[in-house]
Amino acid sequence: MGKLIFPLFCLLIVTSTACALDCTQIPASEIYDSNTVNISKKDGSLQTLPGNFNCVYNVSTPTPTSSHGLYAIVTVTNGLKGVNDYILVTKITGSQQKIVSAGNEVETYKVIPGSQLSVQVLTKSVVMNSQFAISVQYHSAVIGPKVQMKTGSEMNYLDVKTINQGPFSSLTYVSKEHIVLTLATEPLDISVYDNCYLIDGTFDNQRKIYEVDDFFYDGGSKFTTISHHLTVVSFQESLIQIVLNPISEVQQFIEFYSVPIDKTETPFDSGFNTAIQLVNFDSVGIVMDGIQIVTKPCNAKVVAGPPNNSSKTILDLSTNPSKAQTFNVKDLTVISNDCYFIFTAIASN
Ligand SMILES: *[C@@H]1O[C@H](CO)[C@@H](O)[C@H](O)[C@H]1NC(C)=O
Ligand SMILES: *[C@@H]1O[C@H](CO)[C@@H](O)[C@H](O)[C@H]1NC(C)=O
Ligand SMILES: *[C@@H]1O[C@H](CO)[C@@H](O)[C@H](O)[C@H]1NC(C)=O
Ligand SMILES: *[C@@H]1O[C@H](CO)[C@@H](O)[C@H](O)[C@H]1NC(C)=O
């Protein structure tokens, strides 16, 4: 008898708020291309929250097939009024963002194929008429190709914009080793981080998802994969440039960097046990100038390609070169074993 009475009571007494506003999740039947799901009011308008409200809404996208999947754009509208009420978003990267009453009115997030974001909405006991709305738009995604990482004397670099084919693009690298990704672009030049995701793994086996700001603060703008795959996801990203190396090439060094070389001269100083990979993303030709060897004899060299033992040495720095050196290559590595020296580099084309 008691079991029957409660729902009826609920229906009759508190029709519009408490009963309608439950923690109902997005049903699987609503997850399809071009559909928009509004939480918790279907028309997308702001929902007023009672006190002691605490719901977690999960937004996930199905694991894609080898060629097709779905991604989602999630918009959270912040109508919080109570200073102790909050919305806690756990992004697909695992990092969290707390939205409070003084925060931005609208925040948007991306959910790549085969991943999940969650939004916890919480109010304290005092009813402050806080409001919120979540809108989830699903879109189809064409899964990009898988390519074998180049080996030996060939460097693996990518200007992410070159894979852009539409609103969503991806490329998966397959390696025999763990992969070290270094960011070549200066992090300060990147203002939007959620246009590019880097998956340790493939779409159907994601070990971890990174945004650039998740790794550039430590370890010299790089991370190492747990898996032997790395997937680059671009939502029309236009600035990010990366270099990938098998871990064996990186392990030999204490310091390891990648730097884009363009028509603006870049100054460098090289410490001990350091590799600096220089890439002319837009053209061919790199000029090294202003070479000043500080510690002699200088055990250092420049090789064409990555710091691999099959890469060809194109300059031996123990010869103490004084003239500008022009190399007809797209990429090279300056390797310092135990030499301190300075130089500049610029694109010759
Ligand atoms: C969902 O909300 C948006 C506004 O945020 C609105 O344009 C759209 O029509 C709503 N969807 C439905 C099914 O009402
Ligand atoms: C939401 O996702 C989390 C983490 O995967 C899971 O533990 C939780 O059960 C999910 N909640 C619902 C209501 O499905
Ligand atoms: C160089 O490349 C070869 C072939 O890809 C690879 O086996 C080797 O581990 C690489 N590493 C170094 C440090 O040379
Ligand atoms: C090349 O590097 C690999 C990995 O560091 C090493 O095992 C191999 O002996 C090296 N080969 C030569 C010819 O130096």
Side-chain angles (χ1 to χ4, degrees), residues 37-270:
V37 180
N38 295 321
I39 300 169
S40 61
K41 284 189 167 178
K42 286 218 160 18
D43 65 359
S45 62
L46 285 164
Q47 172 72 57
T48 303
L49 291 160
N52 286 324
F53 183 80
N54 186 1
C55 275
V56 178
Y57 300 97
N58 287 343
V59 179
S60 57
T61 49
T63 302
T65 64
S66 59
S67 59
H68 283 87
L70 290 174
Y71 68 91
I73 305 290
V74 179
T75 307
V76 177
T77 307
N78 171 11
L80 297 175
K81 297 199 179 68
V83 288
N84 296 314
D85 300 345
Y86 63 82
I87 298 171
L88 184 66
V89 178
T90 304
K91 302 199 279 180
I92 61 171
T93 56
S95 70
Q96 294 188 317
Q97 185 180 356
K98 194 171 186 177
I99 300 173
V100 294
S101 55
N104 291 339
E105 193 190 334
V106 176
E107 296 281 359
T108 64
Y109 305 91
K110 294 185 175 105
V111 184
I112 65 172
S115 69
Q116 181 178 291
L117 164 147
S118 73
V119 185
Q120 179 182 22
V121 180
L122 186 141
T123 62
K124 297 290 161 113
S125 55
V126 183
V127 178
M128 300 297 290
N129 293 319
S130 280
Q131 296 182 309
F132 85 106
I134 303 169
S135 173
V136 182
Q137 287 172 266
Y138 294 96
H139 300 280
S140 73
V142 176
I143 303 301
K146 280 189 181 151
V147 297
Q148 194 73 41
M149 250 176 87
K150 294 172 199 157
T151 54
S153 61
E154 285 188 272
M155 193 185 285
N156 294 271
Y157 54 81
L158 180 71
D159 190 344
V160 174
K161 68 171 178 276
T162 62
I163 68 166
N164 289 346
Q165 292 195 324
F168 174 96
S169 311
S170 77
L171 178 64
T172 298
Y173 288 92
V174 182
S175 170
K176 292 195 175 67
E177 296 182 38
H178 300 291
I179 302 167
V180 178
L181 178 145
T182 42
L183 181 66
T185 330
E186 184 66 47
L188 292 173
D189 292 340
I190 305 167
S191 55
V192 178
Y193 297 114
D194 75 346
N195 284 344
C196 182
Y197 289 92
L198 302 158
I199 308 173
D200 175 348
T202 55
F203 281 106
D204 53 11
N205 188 7
Q206 301 181 15
R207 308 298 291 268
K208 184 161 172 49
I209 305 172
Y210 295 88
E211 276 177 6
V212 164
D213 55 337
D214 295 323
F215 66 87
F216 75 58
Y217 291 113
D218 46 60
S221 293
K222 66 179 189 293
F223 70 82
T224 304
T225 60
I226 302 162
S227 71
H228 288 183
H229 294 84
L230 185 122
T231 302
V232 181
V233 178
S234 172
F235 289 93
Q236 299 198 296
E237 168 58 42
S238 60
L239 295 171
I240 293 174
Q241 296 166 327
I242 56 175
V243 182
L244 309 181
N245 293 87
I247 191 170
S248 66
E249 290 174 0
V250 182
Q251 269 168 343
Q252 355 164 23
F253 300 103
I254 293 171
E255 305 278 1
F256 191 90
Y257 306 103
S258 300
V259 180
I261 297 301
D262 54 26
K263 298 296 277 180
T264 310
E265 192 175 80
T266 309
F268 291 91
D269 50 60
S270 177

Side-chain angles (χ1 to χ4, degrees), residues 24-33 35 37 58 60 62 70 138:
T24 304
Q25 300 292 312
I26 298 171
S29 60
E30 289 292 309
I31 302 175
Y32 57 87
D33 179 27
N35 193 33
V37 180
N58 287 343
S60 57
L70 290 174
Y138 294 96

Side-chain angles (χ1 to χ4, degrees), residues 317-343:
L317 284 152
S318 70
T319 62
N320 202 6
S322 53
K323 294 200 311 275
Q325 307 283 322
T326 303
F327 304 110
N328 190 31
V329 296
K330 274 192 79 69
D331 55 273
L332 56 78
T333 307
V334 178
I335 298 172
S336 168
N337 297 310
D338 53 8
C339 179
Y340 182 74
F341 58 101
I342 62 169
F343 63 97

